[in-house]
Amino acid sequence: MILLIALRNLLTNFRHTIIIMFLIMLIVMLFFIGNTAIDASDEGLKNTYILNYTGDVIIQEKTDVPMSVFGANAPAIGEFFSIPILKDHDDIISLVESMPDAGVITSQISGPVVMDIGDGRYKTFAFGIEAQTYFNVFSGITLVEGELLKPGQRGAMISKERASMTEEEFGKPVAPGDMIMFTTVGATGFKIREVPLAGIYEYKNQGQIPDEIVLVDAQTLRALNSILLAPETDVPPPPQSTDILTDDIDSLFGAESFPTPVDVSGPVSITEIQAQLSNREEQPFLSTDKGGWNFIIIRLKDGVSNSDFIQRLNGQLESYSAIAVDWRTAAGAPALLVLLLYFLFNGGLLLLVIAGIIAIVNVLLISIFQRVKEIGTLRAIGASNNYIRVLILSENLIVAIVSGLLGVIAGAVLIQIINGANIQAANSLIITLLGGKVVKLGFSESIAIVSILVSAALGFLASLYPVQFALHIQPVEAVAKG
Amino acid sequence: MAIIELSNIIKFYSMGKVTVPALSGVSIKIDKGDFVAIAGPSGSGKTTILNIIGLIDTPSEGNVVIDNTNTILCKNAELTRMRQKVLGFIFQSFNLLSGLNVFENVELPLLIGRFPLARKERKEWVKHLLEEVGLSDRLRHKPRELSGGQQQRVAIARALATKPKIVIADEPTANLDSQTGKNILALMKKINAEQKTTFIFSTHDPVIHAMADHVIMLKDGVIEKEYRRENGDTD
């Protein structure tokens, strides 16, 4: 009966009810659409990063500054920051391989480079990859032209977008076999390496950051980043290499120890330098690359919880100076940007909710003021404080939940309209955030439920003061207002 | 034996800095089963006395004992319980809930007071009450669809729903034409005779208070005259 009275009261006071419903509906619709967009962005980013760069879990050396696969999240001003090498890489690999939840695993080196390709020079970011496993872990990478890097092969791969941009900029197509020169600068000076372009690829999800990434064989990037190179053979060094290690220390400094200097008095052409840089014998890699690595990247088996796996793994990593992090930490600033957007949006919405609550409280107070006689009558015929409280709360919760439901429906309709409009995002950051060029928002049941709960909470909070006001109405008011 | 006993009731209302006296030392005893009229001109204190007896207002001074309970000492919860179980109130302007129909209005006090009646029993009882007041054909009507006299009958049925020991009616005939007013009083008198329910009603109409067997005349907040009438007596 109390619900019936509440419903009838709502219909009787339709004018107030409709104002409150409109306010709540508007707030819930904004909440629903905003969070759906953020959720879509988060999901887009998650897919982009997990499938293309970070995997589900990344193991890295512990550092004082937050770090992603792109280096330090907070740039260290006035000093160089290099991504630390995983000290116990091989032991950790064995540890991860022993965990049944771990799917495929690969290792990676990262670092900024300057890339000369065609006639262009670009600041970019290189991933030194373990070619044997990298493309198993990152199934989002597909080959467009050329070939995927093979274990032991020196070379680089660039994205289709980078190749197109270079072609558009300089009018010359970029093709596999073209030479790419990489330059880095570090504590030990400049490092330059040149490798052939092995292939052109594209990522499943596009965005600003993918275009800037170049995949390089690990040895080349190690050389550029001054990291311990992997031994290129496991056979003992030839005798002539160890001949100088004699007991006769003085002979080390004899003239015979030094080759005849090359005559560089004349001009040296760029072609000659490039020929020198390229004139390296192909050396076989070991089946297992024993050089330094920055990261171990793991894709988990289907259905395995990231957070649970990371917790268990970190428990086992306690004896090492390494830590496992999720894709969001590994992704760095862009993923954190979504979190920031989430907090900013919901923070703004909280202000709107507070304003909404104040407005709803006022409308409810007016409504209760107009119902003093009715509430007084109820008290005169025996309604307790609790009965009045439940009555008013029921009325407001009914309004709030129905409005919340309508807000979600309105939001869903608007989302369908947005999706149907096939809106193309022009900004590459937005493309990255959306995980694609076309704005597509999904219907999230969990956000819909949370929106209705927010609506109910809004109705409840807005009712608190009006309920107190109603409880102060005395039975005598039934007569006084009669 | 007195079911209601008011001792030296004083009631004043504060209106800003001005204090307006409504009752100035009223003492009344009402026996169980009495049919009492509180008569007097407007402003004499009739409604104030009924509100105090109906526990919807409190006196500024004095004692109120209802059904052997000193209500001055009662907490809110006990006063609520007495309003549910002991008292029924009929308002001058009916005070029916406009959102509910006739049947639901009469059923409401039973639900509020959580009377231990099975659903079927409760429905039967409400129907019986509405038959008693002659509204069995108006069960699903909304109050606005009824005449003043019919609304007052619904209010009487609502007041009787919980089988209270005392029914208080504040000028129950004031908004009705004289014939309907007489009919309403006749109905109340009938219930009083049949169920021994104590009725206390206020009126300023001498024709109406002539139907009471215990008359309390008020003037300027004090009892001017009080008398009991044996069966068959007239003024």
Side-chain angles (χ1 to χ4, degrees):
Chain A
M1 177 66 105
I2 203 160
L3 282 175
L4 180 71
I5 298 174
L7 270 173
R8 299 267 173 85
N9 281 337
L10 292 174
L11 294 173
T12 309
N13 299 298
F14 188 69
R15 204 160 53 88
H16 293 139
T17 306
I18 207 80
I19 295 171
I20 295 169
M21 283 183 78
F22 178 75
L23 282 170
I24 296 179
M25 209 179 102
L26 190 69
I27 291 170
V28 170
M29 191 180 76
L30 283 173
F31 179 87
F32 178 71
I33 293 178
N35 281 285
T36 299
I38 290 171
D39 189 57
S41 169
D42 197 47
E43 199 57 34
L45 260 188
K46 186 178 172 184
N47 284 334
T48 302
Y49 278 83
I50 288 178
L51 292 178
N52 297 334
Y53 326 106
T54 64
D56 294 307
V57 178
I58 277 202
I59 301 172
Q60 60 192 29
E61 196 70 5
K62 283 178 184 163
T63 54
D64 294 335
V65 293
M67 199 173 57
S68 72
V69 285
F70 302 102
N73 283 336
I77 306 296
E79 61 177 288
F80 290 111
F81 178 84
S82 59
I83 304 170
I85 299 297
L86 266 173
K87 290 192 191 93
D88 304 298
H89 173 268
D90 295 351
D91 292 344
I92 295 170
I93 284 278
S94 303
L95 173 72
V96 175
E97 281 173 344
S98 70
M99 295 178 78
D101 296 344
V104 277
I105 307 165
T106 192
S107 302
Q108 183 182 298
I109 310 162
S110 298
V113 293
V114 174
M115 177 173 73
D116 286 82
I117 182 169
D119 291 333
R121 172 169 289 182
Y122 307 97
K123 283 183 191 169
T124 186
F125 206 86
F127 286 169
I129 64 169
E130 188 176 39
Q132 196 170 12
T133 51
Y134 190 81
F135 300 105
N136 296 334
V137 171
F138 295 111
S139 54
I141 295 174
T142 44
L143 188 68
V144 177
E145 208 180 332
E147 58 181 8
L148 294 174
L149 277 171
K150 295 189 194 71
Q153 179 188 357
R154 289 193 196 283
M157 294 179 70
I158 60 169
S159 69
K160 187 181 162 189
E161 283 70 27
R162 168 62 69 202
S164 303
M165 279 165 59
T166 308
E167 187 176 340
E168 278 172 27
E169 203 172 338
F170 299 103
K172 267 170 51 183
V174 178
D178 291 356
M179 297 306 286
I180 305 178
M181 190 166 76
F182 295 107
T183 309
T184 58
V185 59
T188 57
F190 284 93
K191 297 281 171 68
I192 302 172
R193 288 292 184 276
E194 189 174 53
V195 293
L197 177 64
I200 297 171
Y201 66 89
E202 68 179 352
Y203 284 113
K204 189 174 180 181
N205 299 77
Q206 298 163 330
Q208 183 186 35
I209 293 159
D211 301 343
E212 293 177 355
I213 289 171
V214 56
L215 304 180
V216 191
D217 68 87
Q219 284 289 67
T220 300
L221 194 58
R222 285 191 189 111
L224 288 163
N225 285 357
S226 309
I227 297 171
L228 175 68
L229 293 170
E232 306 216 339
T233 172
D234 54 359
V235 292
Q240 62 267 30
S241 304
T242 55
D243 277 353
I244 57 169
L245 302 173
T246 63
D247 293 336
D248 184 4
I249 300 294
D250 290 337
S251 69
L252 282 175
F253 302 99
E256 64 277 12
S257 297
F258 297 95
T260 309
V262 177
D263 180 10
V264 290
S265 54
V268 181
S269 71
I270 289 175
T271 318
E272 280 177 299
I273 293 172
Q274 284 179 337
Q276 283 286 325
L277 287 169
S278 308
N279 186 22
R280 290 174 62 96
E281 287 176 23
E282 284 296 322
Q283 296 286 343
F285 274 63
L286 287 176
S287 56
T288 307
D289 190 332
K290 297 290 184 189
W293 294 103
N294 294 132
F295 304 105
I296 294 170
I297 300 172
I298 308 162
R299 283 302 303 273
L300 300 178
K301 287 181 179 163
D302 287 345
V304 178
S305 154
N306 268 27
S307 53
D308 179 52
F309 182 86
I310 289 169
Q311 197 177 6
R312 280 186 286 127
L313 181 56
N314 276 331
Q316 298 194 52
L317 286 175
E318 271 177 7
S319 55
Y320 301 100
S321 57
I323 186 168
V325 297
D326 65 359
W327 73 272
R328 194 184 295 280
T329 309
L336 296 173
L337 181 67
V338 174
L339 274 185
L340 183 68
L341 280 177
Y342 174 83
F343 286 118
L344 283 177
F345 176 79
N346 283 302
L349 203 64
L350 183 66
L351 295 178
L352 189 67
V353 166
I354 291 169
I357 286 177
I358 292 168
I360 294 166
V361 165
N362 277 301
V363 178
L364 286 175
L365 282 175
I366 293 167
S367 170
I368 286 174
F369 188 72
Q370 290 178 343
R371 289 168 54 197
V372 164
K373 180 182 171 185
E374 175 199 319
I375 294 167
T377 302
L378 284 170
R379 304 211 68 151
I381 62 175
S384 61
N385 276 355
N386 204 38
Y387 187 93
I388 301 292
R389 187 180 290 120
V390 172
L391 177 68
I392 307 282
L393 276 176
S394 302
E395 288 176 17
N396 298 336
L397 284 177
I398 289 170
V399 169
I401 291 168
V402 170
S403 309
L405 207 60
L406 291 175
V408 168
I409 291 169
V413 168
L414 208 60
I415 284 172
Q416 286 305 312
I417 293 169
I418 292 169
N419 287 345
N422 208 28
I423 299 167
Q424 302 272 335
N427 183 294
S428 57
L429 177 63
I430 294 173
I431 293 173
T432 305
L433 287 175
L434 292 173
K437 283 183 178 168
V438 181
V439 178
K440 286 278 178 204
L441 305 175
F443 180 87
S444 163
E445 283 171 14
S446 58
I447 294 178
I449 291 168
V450 169
S451 300
I452 293 168
L453 290 177
V454 164
S455 177
L458 183 66
F460 178 78
L461 288 174
S463 301
L464 293 177
Y465 182 66
V467 163
Q468 286 306 311
F469 182 77
L471 292 178
H472 281 102
I473 295 172
Q474 295 302 314
V476 73
E477 301 282 357
V479 182
K481 298 285 176 183
Chain B
M1 183 188 165
I3 192 166
I4 297 165
E5 193 167 346
L6 306 187
S7 312
N8 200 24
I9 297 296
I10 294 171
K11 178 71 182 179
F12 49 81
Y13 295 102
S14 296
M15 304 175 89
K17 290 178 182 174
V18 182
T19 301
V20 180
L23 295 173
S24 310
V26 172
S27 296
I28 300 173
K29 274 188 182 177
I30 295 171
D31 290 339
K32 189 174 184 300
D34 270 4
F35 195 71
V36 185
I38 296 180
S42 290
S44 59
K46 303 187 295 293
T47 296
T48 306
I49 279 199
L50 289 182
N51 288 347
I52 288 170
I53 295 171
L55 303 181
I56 63 175
D57 203 356
T58 50
S60 306
E61 285 178 34
N63 257 337
V64 180
V65 177
I66 295 174
D67 196 25
N68 297 320
T69 303
N70 187 343
T71 63
I72 303 299
L73 306 174
C74 287
K75 292 186 174 170
N76 255 338
E78 178 61 11
L79 293 177
T80 298
R81 191 200 65 79
M82 290 189 72
R83 281 187 215 116
Q84 289 171 355
K85 318 280 183 191
V86 181
L87 298 158
F89 209 102
I90 301 167
F91 298 90
Q92 181 180 341
S93 50
F94 327 129
N95 288 35
L96 300 176
L97 268 64
S98 58
L100 303 182
N101 62 32
V102 167
F103 187 93
E104 290 160 350
N105 263 290
V106 177
E107 191 184 22
L108 185 62
L110 294 168
L111 295 167
I112 286 178
R114 294 183 180 175
F115 279 76
L117 282 174
R119 183 185 159 87
K120 191 179 170 192
E121 260 184 289
R122 191 176 72 233
K123 303 278 179 197
E124 289 299 324
W125 171 240
V126 172
K127 274 185 193 167
H128 169 74
L129 284 170
L130 286 166
E131 273 169 23
E132 283 288 303
V133 297
L135 289 171
S136 54
D137 57 341
R138 295 283 190 277
L139 303 186
R140 302 296 159 202
H141 284 62
K142 288 284 173 65
R144 64 174 177 275
E145 296 165 346
L146 303 177
S147 68
Q150 287 172 325
Q151 288 190 53
Q152 197 58 295
R153 285 163 185 267
V154 177
I156 291 169
R158 181 177 70 183
L160 293 170
T162 58
K163 297 183 184 173
K165 293 178 178 172
I166 304 159
V167 172
I168 296 143
D170 184 16
E171 304 223 23
T173 60
N175 289 333
L176 307 174
D177 61 73
S178 60
Q179 188 52 50
T180 309
K182 280 182 186 170
N183 293 344
I184 289 290
L185 256 291
L187 175 66
M188 287 164 53
K189 183 82 179 166
K190 177 174 167 270
I191 294 163
N192 166 253
E194 286 174 2
Q195 298 177 13
K196 301 297 173 202
T197 305
T198 306
F199 271 82
I200 307 157
F201 61 95
S202 63
T203 181
H204 56 264
D205 184 346
V207 179
I208 296 295
H209 76 67
M211 297 173 76
D213 49 34
H214 180 177
V215 179
I216 299 162
M217 305 283 283
L218 287 177
K219 190 178 180 186
D220 298 331
V222 293
I223 296 175
E224 188 187 39
K225 189 177 169 189
E226 181 178 5
Y227 59 89
R228 290 177 180 273
R229 189 187 290 120
E230 295 304 320
N231 282 348
D233 283 3
T234 55
D235 286 337

